[in-house]
């Protein structure tokens, strides 16, 4: 269950840095150019003229970095990033926040973590994702380096999970989830404690709902009592008897000092490995989940048990308006959940699928008596749309559906407490990409996935949904404009952001701009993307896939000849010496030569509108000729730019 964390506050860090700054001031005996810059900078700062102090701070930061005096280098970067942040020059502030962190790391300190957090808070981000129909591409980007899926891992897509026991509309009767939120969930979360029996009732109710069970198994008395024996073997046998997939999250958040199993990585690893071996023998339906908290980040890796003992890597990852629910601390509303996963993802996703084993976005702060519905909606979209698309190895999300009232961080994460949040959540999770059934190699029912719009993923077929990830230092967004080839085609002021375009609306070589405005109506961000549509081909209602996409030449649609002919049951031969193609089916023989408009069907000459051509090593010919040659009926849907061929 979510606990108050021991993160270092910005205020606390500032006090520590000030003390460190005083401690490392150079003695007057070193009166030289460095001392002159130091004195001048301090004099200007004392006069309130920080702008003129900047060149001196820059000199000092560079000097100490060159000499390897990392603490001093970090301290002067700290002065620079604070100055640039205060005047709203966020690009320069981010540069120095990141540089300061690098220097603290070199100095053997973890004081830069909060600076990276601030850099992410003020970073302007516009990323664009779109639907993709090519399942082979979706599977490729969602695979680990080994090419082998883990136990219960979907081929692509993200399992939908929930902790609902404290939800008054669901409780632990998981079969109610569909009626309340419009969709069954794949994973239900239960908590268990070492020394107590296997939570059979929760497993039974998960099975009734067609779901799997995530069990957060916590050794409340620490790791010493965790041992192989009758209790553990019986627990494992009961897990097997449950007859459902189980994700076993043993001793989670072990990197945090707030749990009793923190502090001895070697012991933790030994206990985790022992459990893995027991469950591998007794309960093959159990997947072992190693699940730290996302903070403190520097204490995560020492607890990793090793690839041979971990099936999934999980993480407890929360955001909140105020750190630890304390309104007296600086606000945290500029923090988005997306960046919080980056470090863990970059470290482990090449090897293991990731899950958010606990996560949540509060819509109300009890401590501040303040409503955060708009902020929650912004970050719920990021949680259920942006994060699964940005991180294709993120294969499960379990939501902590609890109103904490005045305990722990004093936030209301409950989805059903607010009808607006409940409706919004239901809308987000309706997407088939969020999977409602655990199975090895599972994938969305509509076979669609998502890719980033970039140089490798500009072109789409039929139609595509475009989802922007937009983040600005102002936090709240006033409007998002979508500009296609110089014309505003949509404006959005309400969440969730995104639009759908048909292929016929997007000619080859189109340009999409995303313009972002703050609540005051000022444009604060702009990003430009190249996008295009491609012609698609359907044969008897089934879309064909090609290594070389169809192209338009002089107004004619040229389609891959061999792929379509063979799909229609013809045999195809190519003679390189004469650059000719011969295709046969039944009593019909077709012969054509590249770059010549005359073709021969059973010896009779016919003229093509456009000659067959070699494109990237593939023979393409006019779509109507290819479709009709062996008796097919050819049609054209201009809105989706689809050639339809019926051979029935």
């Amino acid at each position: 269950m979510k606990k108050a964390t021991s993160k270092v506050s910005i205020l606390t860090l500032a006090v520590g840095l000030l003390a460190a700054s005083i401690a490392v001031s150079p003695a007057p005996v070193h009166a030289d150019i460095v001392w002159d810059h130091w004195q001048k900078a301090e004099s200007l700062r004392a006069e309130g003229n920080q702008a003129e102090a900047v060149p001196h701070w820059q000199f000092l930061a560079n000097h100490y970095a060159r000499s390897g005096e990392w603490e001093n280098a970090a301290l002067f970067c700290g002065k620079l990033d604070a100055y640039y942040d205060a005047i709203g020059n966020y690009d320069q502030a981010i540069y120095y926040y990141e540089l300061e962190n690098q220097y603290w790391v070199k100095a053997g300190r973890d004081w830069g973590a909060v600076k990276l957090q601030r850099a992410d808070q003020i970073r302007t981000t516009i990323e664009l994702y779109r639907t993709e129909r090519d399942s082979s591409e979706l599977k490729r980007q969602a695979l680990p380096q080994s090419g082998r899926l883990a136990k219960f891992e979907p081929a692509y897509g993200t399992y939908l999970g929930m902790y609902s026991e404290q939800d008054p509309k669901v409780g632990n009767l998981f079969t109610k989830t569909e009626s309340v939120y419009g969709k069954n969930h794949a994973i239900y979360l239960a908590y268990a404690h070492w020394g107590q029996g296997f939570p059979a009732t929760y497993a039974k109710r998960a099975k009734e709902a067609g779901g799997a069970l995530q069990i957060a198994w916590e050794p409340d008395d620490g790791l010493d009592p965790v041992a192989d024996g009758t209790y553990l073997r019986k627990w494992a046998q009961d897990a097997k008897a449950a007859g459902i997939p189980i994700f076993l999250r043993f001793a989670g958040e072990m990197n945090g000092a707030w749990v009793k199993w923190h502090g001895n990585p070697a012991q933790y690893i030994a206990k985790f490995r022992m459990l893995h071996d027991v469950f591998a023998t007794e309960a093959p339906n159990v997947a072992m989940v190693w699940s730290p908290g996302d903070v403190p980040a520097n204490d995560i890796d020492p607890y990793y048990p090793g690839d041979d003992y971990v099936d999934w890597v999980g993480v407890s990852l929360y955001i909140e308006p105020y750190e630890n629910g304390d309104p007296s601390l600086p606000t945290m509303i500029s923090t988005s959940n997306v960046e919080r996963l980056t470090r863990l993802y970059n470290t482990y996703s090449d090897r293991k699928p990731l899950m958010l084993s606990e996560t949540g976005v509060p819509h109300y702060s009890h401590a501040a008596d303040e409503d955060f519905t708009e902020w929650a909606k912004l970050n719920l979209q990021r949680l259920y749309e942006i994060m699964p698309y940005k991180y294709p190895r993120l294969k499960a999300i379990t939501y902590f559906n609890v109103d904490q009232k005045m305990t722990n961080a004093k936030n209301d994460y409950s989805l059903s407490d607010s009808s607006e949040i409940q409706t919004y959540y239901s809308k987000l999770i309706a997407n088939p990409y969020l999977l409602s059934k655990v199975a090895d190699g599972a994938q969305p029912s509509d076979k669609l996935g998502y890719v980033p719009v970039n140089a490798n993923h500009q072109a789409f077929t039929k139609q595509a949904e475009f989802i922007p990830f937009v983040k600005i230092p102002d936090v709240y967004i006033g409007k998002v404009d979508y500009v296609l080839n110089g014309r505003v085609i949509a404006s959005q002021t309400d969440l969730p952001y995104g639009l759908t375009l048909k292929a016929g609306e997007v000619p080859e070589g189109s340009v999409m701009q995303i313009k972002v405005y703050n609540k005051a109506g000022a444009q604060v961000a702009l990003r430009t993307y190249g996008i295009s549509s491609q012609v698609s081909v359907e044969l008897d209602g089934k879309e064909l896939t090609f290594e070389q996409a169809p192209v338009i030449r002089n107004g004619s649609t040229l389609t891959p000849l061999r792929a379509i002919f063979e799909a229609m049951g013809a045999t195809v031969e190519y003679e390189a010496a004469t650059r000719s193609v011969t295709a046969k089916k039944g009593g019909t023989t077709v012969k054509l030569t590249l770059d010549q408009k005359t073709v021969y069907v059973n010896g009779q000459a016919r003229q093509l509108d456009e000659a067959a051509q070699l494109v990237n090593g593939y023979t393409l010919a006019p779509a109507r000729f290819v479709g009709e040659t062996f008796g097919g009926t050819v049609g054209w849907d201009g809105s989706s730019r689809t050639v339809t061929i019926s051979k029935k």
Side-chain angles (χ1 to χ4, degrees), residues 274-523:
M274 180 272 293
L275 289 173
H276 167 275
D277 291 345
V278 168
F279 283 99
T281 301
E282 300 283 359
N285 61 316
V286 170
M288 295 296 295
V289 181
W290 175 73
S291 184
D294 75 308
V295 291
N298 60 302
D299 282 343
I300 290 176
D301 299 335
Y303 287 89
Y304 186 60
D307 290 348
D308 292 340
Y309 300 92
V310 173
D311 295 307
W312 287 64
V313 169
V315 62
S316 296
L317 189 157
Y318 291 85
I319 57 172
E320 53 193 348
Y322 299 104
E323 188 172 328
N324 293 332
D326 187 348
S328 68
L329 294 176
T331 177
M332 298 287 287
I333 64 169
S334 297
T335 301
S336 103
N337 36 20
V338 178
E339 295 84 4
R340 296 288 285 269
L341 186 62
T342 301
R343 182 193 177 279
L344 198 75
Y345 189 87
N346 290 343
T347 304
Y348 295 101
S349 65
D350 283 344
R351 294 173 279 168
K352 301 294 174 182
L354 268 69
M355 67 162 59
L356 301 185
S357 42
E358 283 186 27
T359 191
V361 181
H363 57 85
Y364 192 83
S365 167
H366 290 293
D369 193 21
E370 192 173 353
D371 183 88
F372 285 95
T373 296
E374 183 179 3
W375 182 79
K377 290 171 71 174
L378 186 67
N379 285 290
L380 281 169
Q381 183 183 22
R382 292 168 179 169
L383 179 61
Y384 286 104
E385 292 196 329
I386 303 306
M387 293 182 75
Y389 311 160
K390 182 180 180 69
Y391 306 115
R393 298 278 298 140
L394 175 59
K395 299 292 185 79
I397 297 173
T398 298
Y399 191 84
F400 187 71
N401 190 13
V402 172
D403 181 1
Q404 293 183 322
K405 302 187 185 299
M406 287 300 287
T407 62
N408 295 324
K410 307 174 182 63
N411 292 317
D412 188 354
Y413 296 91
S414 175
L415 297 166
S416 65
D417 274 0
S418 161
S419 60
E420 184 175 355
I421 292 294
Q422 180 177 338
T423 299
Y424 186 76
Y425 174 79
S426 297
K427 180 178 181 178
L428 290 174
I429 68 169
N431 185 349
Y433 193 79
L434 299 170
L435 306 170
S436 58
K437 184 72 175 178
V438 170
D440 288 318
Q443 54 189 280
S445 58
D446 61 3
K447 302 296 191 289
L448 295 180
Y450 295 81
V451 294
V453 176
N454 55 29
N456 297 322
H457 299 110
Q458 289 187 347
F460 68 96
T461 60
K462 293 189 175 180
Q463 71 174 31
E465 183 182 14
F466 291 82
I467 306 292
F469 168 35
V470 180
K471 187 171 71 68
I472 59 176
D474 298 307
V475 181
Y476 296 112
I477 297 163
K479 183 177 68 166
V480 176
D481 277 349
Y482 304 87
V483 183
L484 182 63
N485 298 327
R487 182 174 64 89
V488 177
I489 58 171
S491 293
Q492 290 183 315
T493 56
D494 296 324
L495 289 156
Y497 301 123
L499 82 165
T500 299
L501 293 176
K502 292 186 176 181
E505 300 174 289
V506 186
E508 285 92 342
S510 291
V511 174
M512 166 82 83
Q513 289 184 314
I514 309 294
K515 293 183 178 181
V516 182
Y517 300 80
N518 63 17
K519 289 289 188 179
Q523 181 180 317

Side-chain angles (χ1 to χ4, degrees), residues 5 15 36 259 307 312 364 374 496 609 628:
T5 65
V15 173
D36 291 342
V259 297
D307 290 348
W312 287 64
Y364 192 83
E374 183 179 3
D609 293 332
E628 292 179 347

